Amino acid sequence: MTMKKVFLICILVLAAFLRLYNLTALPDINADEAAIGYNAYSILQTGKDEHGNPFPIHFQSFGDYKPGLYFYIVVPFVSILGLNDLAVRLPGAILGIGTVFLVWLLARRLFPKIGWFPEVAALFLAISPWHIHFSRGGWEVNAAGFFIIFGVWSFIKGLEEKKWFYASIALFIASLYTYHAARIITPLLISVLFWVYREKLLWVKQKFVLQKKVLIWAAVGIFLTIPLLIDFVGPAGLSRASGVGLFADEGPFWKANEQRGEHDNIHGKLAVFLHNRPLNYGIAFFENYAKHFDGKFLFFLGDEIQRDKVPRFGQMYLIDLIFLLIGFIFITRNFSRWKIIIAWLIFAPIPAALTFQSPHALRAQSMVIPLVMISAYGAVILFSWLSNHIKPKLLLFSCYLVLITFLFWDFTRYLHEYHVYMAKTYNFSSQYGVKELVEYIKKDGEQFSQIIVTDRYDQPYILFLFYMKYPPDKFQGDHTLTPRDKFGFSTVRGFDKYKFLSVNWDEMRNLRDTILVGAPNEINDIDANITKRIYFPSGDVAFEIVPL
Amino acid sequence: MHQVIKDHKLLIVALLIAAILRLWGLSVNPPHLASDEATLGYNAYSILETGRGEHGQFLPIIFQSFGDWKPGLYIYLDVPFIAVFGLNELATRLPAAIFGIMTVWFVYLLVGELFWGKLWAGKVQIFTAFFLAISPWHIHFSRGAWEAGVSLSLTVLAIYLFFRAIRGRPTFLIFSAVVFGLTLLTYQGAKLSTGVVLLALAILFARDIVKLPRVVITKSVLAGFILVLPVLFSFFDGKVGRLAVFSVFSYPRLQGDTEEILRLGEITKNSWQYVVYHSEPLHLAKGVLERWMNHFSPRFLVFQGDWSSKRHNIPDGGMFLFVDALFLVLGFIFLARQKNDKKILFLWFWLLLAPLSAAFSRDSIHAVRSLNMVIPLTILLGLGAYSLFDFLKGKRTGKFFAAVVLVCYIGSFSYYLDQYWVHAPVRGSQFWQYGYKQMVQKVNAVEDQYDEIVVEQSYNQPYIYFLFYQKYPPQKWQAQIKDSYVPSPFGDVGLFTKLDNITFRAINWSGDKLLSKKLFVVFDNTVTVPRSDLADTDRFKYIDQIDFLNRKIGFLLLGVK
């Protein structure tokens, strides 16, 4: 066992600890995770999803047609562990830990000669805020990231050992079935891989020859993608594009109108040529894309969506700023080995930029792999430069100490913000309080014939199903989905004796034999007989419960 | 002479383009004189007529102006133009425009020095000169009496002179020192931005400087030092209120934010968690770093520009053209691939440190205080363009791609021109204090019908427009300024309360409408005058209103009979 191996094992243990510690409780299960868990449970019990579709490729869920592979990965966990928080999250965490190991493998394969680089890259991914965040929870994107990096590594390894080359098809295809963004990133990455290794794959003695192994690879790949393509032509594809696509935002369109309005002749050739929808949407795309490289996003504030962020923290550590800069400068001098990683970095934000919410840490999560590798490269270069140029031992040691202390401080600051502040700062980032609410209602709601729950927070019905382990066969036949709203989401307004509505106290106060669960301000009568309040971690009131 | 023109044909073309872009319609766009411009013009007029600044000091080096103590070189540069063209917009803005044009030449010289001895230096020189000539950021601050633009121009010249000095012309060091000194006499922010440049030069080129003759070094240091002495004095004199107002250090974290951190974390200000992770200095340091990063963000450079002010760039566009993003990246790659000689290191230093004075200031982004960035970034553009065209040269599809890039570039530049000439005036007129000129003219036409004219007070400094557009005799103003000027208690910009029978004060319409024989000039968005009062023609006379260029109401002129 060499030093490096020991170090690697330590890194993996650290990665596991950071991803598994308090996994079930922080943050609470959100609606999407509950949907994954409950649908997996439904598949396990009945072979159909919650809405009764047999073995779907995309799960209809809230009308957003979630890509299905992660659901199927969760199925065995549900069957062993039961339907609970851990079963939904454990696969994600394990794949996250696996990704750390794969970064080590990939770094070693691409750059076998740079000292401690693979270990540092693995360490940086192990402690990466961006990667930890989406490893802790049932996030499809994280699973897709695992398949992509595994696919890239086995593709390269496969140049020497055929079996890995074939394995890479399965892995790349798996990523397509796991997450939307992968459907853009993976094909682009595959083309770059073929281009970079064209001499080994497409050329024989300087002549273009379609080798048998490449043909098999492509044929199997296309064959396995067909079900996905067929499914995507249906409502699954449409729902996604219309809900979150760039064109769902009318901003650029109105901007063109405003701009034309400022011309004397609003239908003049110039006004029409310079201010039109294609141009403004094009600019919006590039602007969205570029936002993913903004220092504010990467190092200071992170994503704007509360669910995807930690307070006062960027997607990376502050010191990564220095490492990345050095890394980039040296990559320009040594570009040929970095082609794949740089291409990956360039492609990764494209899917997010095609949607109107940018920057988007979740959809662009794949960026974290190239960024961490570049940062690690910069760090290795900086450290070796220091050791070559600073001769006095003590001074060298203090330089190391300063850098490591700074990183360590930022790392503990992240843990502090994550474990102490995240849940308390963002009330609505996850479905906090619902678990307690369901327990309470299960206990005290028996004798009531109707239970009305506020629809203020995301999709309450799925969390009730999830926490109550409500029999899927009963639910499948006993509910209706509402029509989709403008973002493409539907919900279920009720099943059994549960109803999910916005609570109107003046109308509902006269109901009988009912438990009413409202959000604060919904029940606004001082005389209301509130028997229980459920709180957010911050101490703010989440639910007020009134038996009528 | 013919030979000179022949050798520098392309440079001359670049200068011509620069001149057209900086001089064309200079008095009508920007659409109005900002108060800072007007005060420069009027003080120059005052110097011309009386030899004194508006506050009555004889040939001051630092002008008190609104109370912000402006270093005065711009005003002196403006004097001859005022003498020739009279007191108007064109004359006020010309020095900035002319220095802006000359900067194109200076940057050409500087690039030649930076890459001296490199085969590609000549081409990069030309590319850079062209890029600066059409640079939206640089054009913007050449059009309008921006002291920062002149200061930048001098900085570029001074750096060139410095490099020339260490490359065989030792005496240039003295000129360099003098020109560096002049930047401090031009612009407040130069203290830091020139300081950064000097520091980088001193560290990187210490060995080269030491090799120069002692006499030259002594003379240079002395010359520079004597020149900036007045600025240093003013610094110790307490005339730094402005600095306190703009410095980030004057703005601690909001009380509420701190309380929430303490409450949610269940800690106190003495807990180790607070000290290590949340304390005020850390918050401040992060803020500075964040501001610094903001100046390298695509949002600032390419897409949106200075989001803290509508006066600092075009709407719906950044400090650079869209297509420049490509050249910036290519330029970065090209520069990163070069062997690190000292001059290239200097370029890196300058690029990284140029936004420093903006980073230490209140606003999250600031295109004026970070203006010096435009030079290293434009050099990156030059390098990027050179590397792209060099790469395409001789390639089979090279000409095709070059043509595509060129077409995109022309499209991008047309977009900029449209934004600057059509959209910027409409959307930004009120931020250029549009309306005061028109208001002064209208007041002049009717003022003898009223005892007193009451103009709503504002930090837009309405008084200066009366002085400027009435060409008010400076002697007369100097005689009454003491009674008019109310300094700010914070040492920042003060206010001026009256000029002859014009009073500048807050207007309270419900009380003021009971007075008689007065003319009121109110800002429609701060004072609401009931429309029913306008109909009451027995007591009030609606004289006129002035709209901003976006057709929103700006001023109302109302007479009380």
Side-chain angles (χ1 to χ4, degrees), chain A residues 462-480:
Chain A
I462 194 72
L463 286 132
F464 270 73
L465 293 173
F466 179 84
Y467 285 122
M468 295 187 343
K469 304 191 177 62
Y470 190 81
D473 48 348
K474 262 174 81 184
F475 179 71
Q476 283 165 17
D478 173 39
H479 72 273
T480 45

Side-chain angles (χ1 to χ4, degrees), chain A residues 259 262-263 274-275 283 286-287 290 294-296 300 312 321 332-333 409 412-413 416-417 421 424, chain B residues 261 264-266 276-278 286 290 293 297-298 303 316 322 336-338 415 418-419 422-423 427:
Chain A
Q259 287 168 325
E262 286 163 356
H263 278 262
L274 289 172
H275 311 300
I283 292 171
F286 283 109
E287 191 171 356
D294 199 316
K296 200 173 194 169
F300 297 102
R312 297 172 285 274
L321 182 60
T332 63
R333 299 172 184 190
W409 167 76
T412 56
R413 186 170 71 94
H416 174 71
E417 296 284 13
Y421 283 101
K424 289 181 177 176
Chain B
I261 288 171
L264 294 179
E266 292 162 36
V276 176
Y277 300 122
H278 302 290
K286 256 181 72 190
E290 188 182 332
M293 280 301 288
S297 66
F303 293 103
D316 302 328
F322 293 129
R337 287 170 72 95
Q338 297 305 309
Y415 180 88
D418 175 65
Q419 289 295 336
V422 177
H423 303 279
R427 253 184 261 181

Side-chain angles (χ1 to χ4, degrees), chain B residues 67-88:
Chain B
D68 51 348
W69 301 100
K70 294 178 167 59
L73 188 63
Y74 192 98
I75 292 168
Y76 289 101
L77 292 170
D78 203 13
V79 170
F81 295 99
I82 301 279
V84 175
F85 296 101
L87 181 56
N88 58 33

